[in-house]
Amino acid sequence: MTPHAGSVDHKPVALVERAPEERSMWDIPRTERDDPFQFGQRYLEDENAVWDHNAWDHVKWDEEQDALAKEKIAKQRENPVSTFDKNLYMSTPARYWDLFYRNNKANFFKDRKWLQLEFPSIYQRATQADSGPKTILEVGCGAGNTMFPILAANKNPQLKIFGVDFSHRAVEIVRESEEFDPKYTVADVWDLADESGALPVGLTEHSVDFIILIFVFSALAPGQWETAVQNMDRLLKPGGEILFRDYGRYDMAQLRFRSGRLLEDSFYVRGDGTRVYFFTEEELNTIFGKKFEVERIGTDRRLLVNRKRKLKMFRIWLQGKFIKPIS
């Protein structure tokens, strides 16, 4: 169920290597600091230099940009999705994801080779030769662009990677890939918000060390969030981690939506029928904080520029790490 990975899932810039005295920042609780992640190292200090590069990291979000974003959202609210169409999109979401993956084959997507920079704990604790038995569950595995890079870097003979997706076609693409290795990988259909209590095939309660959610949670309707969190709580071992990356409020993709696309506040339907939500840090803290320890939440705000056309485009992503309490 990984949404539109080829068009919106851009490669993050490498994290800055911090001096020893700065690394203690990572141990400060979320409420005591504003910058839990450090995304990239290209800062726009001189506005006249904005066209010198294609992208700038950690850009400032000023009052003018905030007002413009709110103006666009207000216009979207004037003409939301019709009641008939909303019922259609909300009742058959799997149909649209199957169509998406039928229309976009595996070569449409790019492998997430940046995973070691963004989520190093996977490689430190699960893929080393001496890591021991470890289980990784990727929810919304799409075409395998997360699980296959992890598998390629794996040295652990006792690692198992489960890839699950809402779309039957996505699972077929993963199983048909030359990189799919049944010794280490399993792919199956599973709905993160399944209310029946069914778990992914091959998994039992409290058996997973890592759950990966990359551009997946945004595809759920807000009314499904609580069930999804409960299902992850049942799957994770005490001390297990949820690694999260998704769309942030006022991201360029949100502001580009025209009339007739708004389902609910911050929740939209794309032209292909797939759905997407745009989060705030506060929402993530509330959603995941009910069951898990919120170790980190950060906003990756980036300015992309089209130097030829002199256009500025703001991308906003949220990243988080949530831990299941040991007690």
Side-chain angles (χ1 to χ4, degrees):
M1 194 165 58
T2 306
H4 299 254
S7 58
V8 295
D9 184 3
H10 296 281
K11 176 183 177 183
V13 180
L15 299 178
V16 175
E17 177 64 22
R18 284 172 291 278
E21 63 271 19
E22 296 176 309
R23 290 178 186 150
S24 60
M25 291 173 57
W26 293 83
D27 298 325
I28 302 174
R30 169 74 187 122
T31 55
E32 297 181 24
R33 58 188 167 90
D34 295 325
D35 184 19
F37 294 98
Q38 189 161 353
F39 302 104
Q41 52 187 316
R42 180 179 291 158
Y43 297 91
L44 180 60
E45 298 176 350
D46 179 5
E47 185 63 30
N48 294 322
V50 67
W51 309 113
D52 292 351
H53 298 281
N54 293 327
W56 299 91
D57 306 305
H58 259 335
V59 293
K60 302 287 185 180
W61 186 262
D62 59 31
E63 293 182 3
E64 181 180 354
Q65 291 156 346
D66 188 66
L68 180 60
K70 290 178 179 177
E71 180 182 340
K72 291 184 177 181
I73 299 301
K75 289 182 179 179
Q76 293 171 351
R77 288 176 178 154
E78 293 176 358
N79 188 16
V81 175
S82 69
T83 301
F84 176 84
D85 287 342
K86 180 178 179 179
N87 291 335
L88 181 65
Y89 294 130
M90 298 293 277
S91 62
T92 58
R95 172 176 177 267
Y96 296 102
W97 283 110
D98 279 334
L99 289 173
F100 173 79
Y101 282 105
R102 286 194 177 95
N103 294 331
N104 301 286
K105 308 301 180 183
N107 56 5
F108 173 82
F109 307 93
K110 295 181 180 180
D111 283 350
R112 292 167 174 145
K113 298 178 181 178
W114 44 264
L115 288 167
Q116 294 191 48
L117 297 173
E118 296 293 335
F119 301 128
S121 60
I122 295 175
Y123 298 87
Q124 296 166 355
R125 294 179 47 210
T127 63
Q128 300 300 311
D130 59 352
S131 294
K134 289 292 186 296
T135 298
I136 298 173
L137 171 65
E138 188 197 1
V139 181
C141 64
N145 304 95
T146 295
M147 59 189 302
F148 291 146
I150 295 175
L151 183 61
N154 179 50
K155 300 176 182 179
N156 181 8
Q158 300 183 78
L159 176 68
K160 202 72 174 181
I161 308 176
F162 288 77
V164 295
D165 202 283
F166 199 34
S167 166
H168 288 76
R169 181 56 191 142
V171 172
E172 290 174 359
I173 292 174
V174 170
R175 290 175 176 173
E176 293 166 358
S177 172
E178 294 180 355
E179 299 174 87
F180 185 76
D181 185 349
K183 180 180 178 181
Y184 296 100
T185 53
V186 176
D188 219 321
V189 176
W190 186 64
D191 180 1
L192 175 60
D194 187 341
E195 296 181 346
S196 72
L199 299 179
V201 174
L203 292 176
T204 58
E205 291 193 357
H206 315 308
S207 63
V208 175
D209 297 281
F210 294 91
I211 293 178
I212 302 175
L213 295 174
I214 300 180
F215 297 105
V216 170
F217 213 76
S218 55
L220 299 178
Q224 298 177 299
W225 294 343
E226 184 175 353
T227 299
V229 168
Q230 290 174 350
N231 285 336
M232 288 187 286
D233 182 49
R234 291 177 59 210
L235 284 163
L236 271 182
K237 296 177 181 179
E241 300 180 7
I242 296 175
L243 306 175
F244 177 101
R245 187 170 174 87
D246 221 315
Y247 298 100
R249 188 70 47 84
Y250 300 156
D251 176 63
M252 176 183 73
Q254 179 182 13
L255 301 183
R256 280 185 168 182
F257 278 110
R258 298 184 180 180
S259 62
R261 293 295 176 193
L262 183 67
L263 293 166
E264 301 175 11
D265 281 350
S266 303
F267 191 43
Y268 300 79
V269 60
R270 300 185 180 95
D272 59 11
T274 60
R275 309 174 308 185
V276 57
Y277 190 92
F278 297 85
F279 296 93
T280 65
E281 287 194 23
E282 291 74 19
E283 284 177 328
L284 293 184
N285 191 73
T286 299
I287 294 166
F288 288 90
K290 292 178 180 178
K291 288 285 186 181
F292 307 108
E293 296 174 0
V294 180
E295 180 173 303
R296 288 181 260 168
I297 298 176
T299 298
D300 182 2
R301 184 177 286 109
R302 196 164 308 167
L303 172 62
L304 307 182
V305 299
N306 184 318
R307 289 187 280 179
K308 183 177 181 180
R309 299 175 61 191
K310 302 300 181 183
L311 295 177
K312 297 180 181 180
M313 300 162 286
F314 289 90
R315 299 313 311 260
I316 302 175
W317 299 294
L318 295 185
Q319 193 158 302
K321 183 176 179 181
F322 313 107
I323 310 296
K324 179 167 180 174
I326 294 178
S327 59

